[in-house]
Amino acid sequence: MIGGVVHQHNGLKTAALLGLLSGLILLAGRAIGGRSGLVFALFIALAMNGYSYFFSDRLALRSMRAYPVSEVQQPRLYAVVAELAASMRMPMPALYVSPTEAPNAFATGRNPRHAAVCCTEGILALLDERELRGVLGHELAHVGNRDILISSVAATLATVITFLAHMAQMAAMFGGFGRSDDEEGPGLIGGLLFMIVGPLAAGIIQMGISRSREYQADASGAQLTGDPLALASALRKLEYGVQARPLVESPQLAPTSSLMIANPFRGGAGLGRLFSTHPPIPDRIARLEAMAGYPR
């Protein structure tokens, strides 16, 4: 059974980080337009969260041009997912394949009854059955832990904060900053501060949420399959495979990228790596090897 004290701790940590993101949106609205700005920002946050809750799965699959597959079309994929889903006592998720050579996989959907698992053609060609089972265990752990919804909401909230920062910039350019008609907005200083700090803070918090959930899915997936080294081996191949065939960064792929098992874009260095939503693969492999009893 996937659960226990560690899952409870991760759940509380994630809830706190999501609360911080929502709080940033409310602070942004107040900084831009006082009480009326706060109400406007709250409306945006609620609307975007609702949209993300119901449609994030469709958007993610569409961004990867994924198509549904059956047991006849993908017998190996279907057999592994069916076995793992039965072990977790969860409904069989819908299966999709993305027509790209970039090796990757992700799960999406707001809950286990509306879940979908997508593999790229690249990952199906790259991994053997044992490694693929490790990856799919990771993805089904995301489903069981409700990580897909959490990651989608976090990405949406971060996008709203960036949008509000752009609004603040436009307001500053056209002289719209200042106190609102209720005379409670902090005006120019607060607005300028949010323009600088807001998107940076949102990125750091989103990164924290995503990394926490990836580490937990690695551990939960390894527990589900009983084979931590299979996932470790898959991650080694994916690290090189993604570098050889990275996806091209685009606004449409940005939310989906945080759902994938490996960063689908060409890995950066320095600050780019520091602010990645994915934990470093060598760290993930080390944790999985420790689970298998390998000495550090």
Side-chain angles (χ1 to χ4, degrees), residues 109-124:
R110 60 185 183 270
N111 57 45
R113 288 183 299 170
H114 298 86
V117 173
C118 178
C119 293
T120 66
E121 293 178 353
I123 200 172
L124 294 175

Side-chain angles (χ1 to χ4, degrees), residues 26-252:
L26 299 183
L27 287 175
R30 194 157 183 88
I32 295 172
R35 185 179 300 160
S36 58
L38 187 150
V39 172
F40 175 69
L42 178 61
F43 173 78
I44 290 179
L46 292 174
M48 294 297 285
N49 271 284
Y51 185 82
S52 176
Y53 182 83
F54 287 105
F55 299 108
S56 59
D57 54 341
R58 301 181 196 178
L59 296 175
L61 293 168
R62 188 181 306 158
S63 71
M64 291 296 291
R65 297 179 290 113
Y67 56 90
V69 293
S70 65
E71 182 179 7
V72 174
Q73 294 168 303
Q74 288 289 339
R76 180 178 69 142
L77 177 62
Y78 188 96
V80 174
V81 173
E83 176 214 335
L84 295 175
S87 297
M88 295 180 68
R89 298 181 181 179
M90 62 177 286
M92 177 71 182
L95 298 182
Y96 288 80
V97 171
S98 171
T100 174
E101 293 183 358
N104 231 308
F106 65 92
T108 185
R110 60 185 183 270
N111 57 45
R113 288 183 299 170
H114 298 86
V117 173
C118 178
C119 293
T120 66
E121 293 178 353
I123 200 172
L124 294 175
L126 179 66
L127 303 184
D128 63 31
E129 185 166 340
R130 176 172 171 248
E131 292 163 339
L132 181 62
R133 188 170 182 269
V135 166
L136 293 170
H138 170 102
E139 296 306 331
L140 289 184
H142 274 312
V143 174
N145 294 339
R146 305 297 201 276
D147 289 341
I148 302 95
L149 173 61
I150 292 169
S151 297
S152 298
V153 170
T156 300
L157 291 176
T159 301
V160 171
I161 291 170
T162 303
F163 168 73
L164 290 174
H166 286 306
M167 285 184 59
Q169 185 178 16
M170 294 296 293
M173 289 174 58
F174 292 100
F177 263 144
R179 299 185 182 277
S180 65
D181 54 5
D182 57 20
E183 295 295 324
E184 293 183 5
L188 181 62
I189 295 177
L192 291 176
L193 182 64
F194 172 74
M195 286 166 51
I196 299 170
V197 176
L200 178 63
I204 292 173
I205 295 170
Q206 185 186 5
M207 176 205 70
I209 292 171
S210 182
R211 290 190 175 195
S212 174
R213 307 321 294 173
E214 286 301 315
Y215 281 132
Q216 186 58 56
D218 283 347
S220 298
Q223 180 183 345
L224 173 64
T225 63
D227 191 0
L229 296 182
L231 180 55
S233 178
L235 289 173
R236 284 193 186 91
K237 288 186 177 180
L238 287 172
E239 184 171 30
Y240 292 106
V242 168
Q243 290 298 309
R245 294 184 174 88
L247 293 178
V248 178
E249 295 190 48
S250 69
Q252 291 77 20

Side-chain angles (χ1 to χ4, degrees), residues 275-289:
F275 289 104
S276 172
T277 56
H278 292 73
I281 285 183
D283 290 354
R284 296 169 67 182
I285 291 173
R287 292 188 182 207
L288 289 165
E289 289 178 342

Side-chain angles (χ1 to χ4, degrees), residues 15-33:
L17 291 171
L18 287 172
L20 283 174
L21 278 176
S22 299
L24 275 175
I25 292 178
L26 299 183
L27 287 175
R30 194 157 183 88
I32 295 172

